[in-house]
């Protein structure tokens, strides 16, 4: 619903310290969060003797430098944090020194998964984007996004004109189908423009993000036995939990690197490549957690469970060989 976009916009406007948890890239551990925030606070407030300070000490030192100003630390996607134990996520403190605030975002949660216990005297406020007032505003944002896309993409316009669909009708239908999810729009609209849905009507387009992933999965024929290798390559990205190189995937599966690269190219919208300048090597990870969750959902199927087990066995064998 755009919680990360809101957090990013706030950071751009204020230049406050921030940390964006990304499960798919392994950037979601307390130690990585602390290292990043420590570096930002030391630079921002010229903190002394803080190179190894814990979070509470850092916040106290920063508070002493504020001189009546405020410090807001933005932390996105608490739901993507990977952390053992039952303490606060990212070891966030139960109370804060004067002038220090946290702006936190996360998906819907229950009390068992909240993991944010605060002292009674710590003020807290909550903005629930799923409430009706905000969902209506989100729907308007979705429609505006679709209008902008139509305005700037003549191929998409041609698609709807060939089907005698009015722009207003197209916008209304896609807005409903999106379920206010901008990732859905990010995938679907370019896909229509590129001709991936020339065989479908407006009514036949996927309903919601999970249906979109399923439609793409089926259209590529990922459930065919001949494509088991392709499925395993994606599953490795899931099981690895952090960026991985093509040659490592190839070695794990005993496959040709060219084959691995061609599969990743098939899923280019869903996989993020990042170049490590020091190593001159490209590492790949899944773009968005929603796609990772979709892939994990395949584990519930008989065939999916079998392939996941085979992938885990291959990864274990690879690690054992590397450590020998």
């Amino acid at each position: 619903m755009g919680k990360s976009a809101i957090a990013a916009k706030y950071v751009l406007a204020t230049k406050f310290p921030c940390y964006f948890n990304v499960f798919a890239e392994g950037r979601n551990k307390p130690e990585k969060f602390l290292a990043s925030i420590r570096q930002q606070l030391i630079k921002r407030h010229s903190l002394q003797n803080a190179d190894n300070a814990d979070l509470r000490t850092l916040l106290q030192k920063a508070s002493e430098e504020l001189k009546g100003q405020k410090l807001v630390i933005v932390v996105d996607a608490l739901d993507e944090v990977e952390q053992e134990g039952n303490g606060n996520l990212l070891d966030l403190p139960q109370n804060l020194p004067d002038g220090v605030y946290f702006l936190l975002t996360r998906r819907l949660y229950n009390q068992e998964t909240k993991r944010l216990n605060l002292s009674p005297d710590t003020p807290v406020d909550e903005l629930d984007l799923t409430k009706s007032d905000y969902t209506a505003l989100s729907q308007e944002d979705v429609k505006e996004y679709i209008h902008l896309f139509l305005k700037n993409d003549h191929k998409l316009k041609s698609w709807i004109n060939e089907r005698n669909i009015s722009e207003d009708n197209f916008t209304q239908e896609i807005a409903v189908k999106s379920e206010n999810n901008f990732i859905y729009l990010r995938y679907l609209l370019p896909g229509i423009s590129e001709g991936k849905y020339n065989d479908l009507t407006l009514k036949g387009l996927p309903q919601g993000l999970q249906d979109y992933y399923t439609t793409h999965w089926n259209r590529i024929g990922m459930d065919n036995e001949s494509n088991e290798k392709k499925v395993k390559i994606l599953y490795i990205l899931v099981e690895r939990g952090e960026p991985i190189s093509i040659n490592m995937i190839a070695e794990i599966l005993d496959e040709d690197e060219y084959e691995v690269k061609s599969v990743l190219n098939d899923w280019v919208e869903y996989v993020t490549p990042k170049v490590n300048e020091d190593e001159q090597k490209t590492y790949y990870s899944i773009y968005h957690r929603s796609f990772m969750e979709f892939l994990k959902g395949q584990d519930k199927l008989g065939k999916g469970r079998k392939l996941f087990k085979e992938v885990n066995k291959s990864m274990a064998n690879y690690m054992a060989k590397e450590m020998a």
Side-chain angles (χ1 to χ4, degrees):
M1 296 190 71
K3 64 187 186 307
S4 297
I6 291 172
K9 178 69 173 177
Y10 183 74
V11 171
L12 284 172
T14 63
K15 312 303 181 190
F16 279 132
C18 64
Y19 190 81
F20 286 72
N21 290 287
V22 184
F23 182 88
E25 297 180 8
R27 199 166 71 241
N28 62 335
K29 309 287 195 304
E31 58 272 18
K32 293 187 177 182
F33 161 75
L34 177 58
S36 175
I37 293 300
R38 182 192 290 130
Q39 185 180 35
Q40 292 178 68
L41 290 180
I42 289 175
K43 183 176 180 180
R44 182 184 183 91
H45 297 287
S46 301
L47 301 183
Q48 302 298 312
N49 303 315
D51 291 345
N52 297 304
D54 60 19
L55 184 59
R56 182 175 292 279
T57 303
L58 287 167
L59 297 180
Q60 184 59 47
K61 283 178 174 288
S63 173
E64 294 167 1
E65 300 295 329
L66 290 177
K67 298 179 176 60
Q69 300 297 309
K70 67 179 178 181
L71 167 67
V72 180
I73 299 174
V74 180
V75 185
D76 182 54
L78 282 184
D79 54 288
E80 301 199 21
V81 173
E82 203 169 52
Q83 178 179 342
E84 295 180 358
N86 297 312
N88 278 355
L89 290 172
L90 300 179
D91 298 322
L92 294 173
Q94 294 193 6
N95 50 37
L96 298 171
D98 290 344
V100 178
Y101 303 83
F102 274 89
L103 172 59
L104 310 169
T105 77
R106 66 174 304 152
R107 290 185 181 186
L108 284 174
Y109 60 87
N110 54 41
Q111 289 305 311
E112 288 73 33
T113 60
K114 182 177 181 180
R115 292 187 63 177
L116 185 63
N117 295 311
L118 303 175
S119 299
D121 60 345
T122 300
V124 62
D125 200 2
E126 205 168 83
L127 174 66
D128 185 353
L129 293 176
T130 64
K131 288 185 176 178
S132 59
D133 289 349
Y134 298 116
T135 55
L137 291 170
S138 290
Q139 183 82 168
E140 292 306 310
D141 285 343
V142 163
K143 290 177 181 177
E144 184 176 349
Y145 182 92
I146 297 169
H147 276 303
L148 286 171
F149 210 98
L150 280 167
K151 182 179 178 181
N152 293 289
D153 194 309
H154 69 277
K155 290 183 180 179
L156 182 58
K157 274 190 176 181
S158 296
W159 190 91
I160 67 173
N161 290 336
E162 288 167 2
R163 289 159 178 77
N164 296 317
I165 305 168
S166 70
E167 290 191 13
D168 285 344
N169 188 26
F170 177 82
T171 300
Q172 182 64 36
E173 288 281 344
I174 298 300
V176 171
K177 285 179 176 291
S178 76
E179 299 173 354
N180 286 358
N181 191 305
F182 283 90
I183 293 291
Y184 173 91
L185 299 173
R186 179 192 181 278
Y187 289 143
L188 183 77
L189 297 179
I192 296 174
S193 177
E194 292 163 12
K196 294 179 180 178
Y197 299 97
N198 286 342
D199 59 331
L200 295 182
T201 62
L202 179 58
K203 294 287 186 184
L205 292 173
Q207 176 73 38
L209 187 58
Q210 290 302 305
D211 188 34
Y212 173 85
Y213 289 141
T214 301
T215 299
H216 190 72
W217 183 271
N218 292 336
R219 287 166 79 86
I220 293 182
M222 295 295 281
D223 280 332
N224 297 339
E225 284 190 22
S226 60
N227 283 330
E228 283 191 358
K229 291 178 183 177
K230 294 183 178 182
V231 177
K232 286 183 178 181
I233 289 169
L234 292 178
Y235 283 178
I236 282 179
L237 295 180
V238 172
E239 294 298 274
R240 173 72 174 176
E242 58 186 43
I244 184 172
S245 64
I246 284 178
N247 69 298
M248 187 181 290
I249 297 174
E251 287 183 27
I252 290 172
L253 294 178
D254 194 22
E255 286 291 333
D256 185 83
E257 289 187 22
Y258 176 81
E259 175 71 17
V260 173
K261 186 167 179 57
S262 66
V263 171
L264 294 178
N265 286 341
D266 282 343
W267 293 88
V268 65
E269 302 101 319
Y270 316 94
V271 177
T272 301
K274 284 192 176 179
V275 178
N276 184 310
E277 298 293 348
D278 294 334
E279 300 178 20
Q280 288 295 300
K281 186 181 290 186
T282 301
Y283 287 81
Y284 294 82
S285 60
I286 291 172
Y287 170 73
H288 195 263
R289 187 177 180 182
S290 59
F291 184 53
M292 181 176 284
E293 290 172 345
F294 167 77
L295 292 174
K296 283 186 173 181
Q298 308 307 305
D299 188 23
K300 297 174 184 176
L301 308 175
K303 183 179 178 183
R305 280 198 299 272
K306 170 179 171 286
L307 295 182
F308 259 109
K309 287 179 181 177
E310 291 176 7
V311 163
N312 277 307
K313 183 178 179 181
S314 296
M315 290 179 71
N317 291 340
Y318 172 81
M319 294 306 296
K321 185 174 70 174
E322 288 293 300
M323 295 172 64

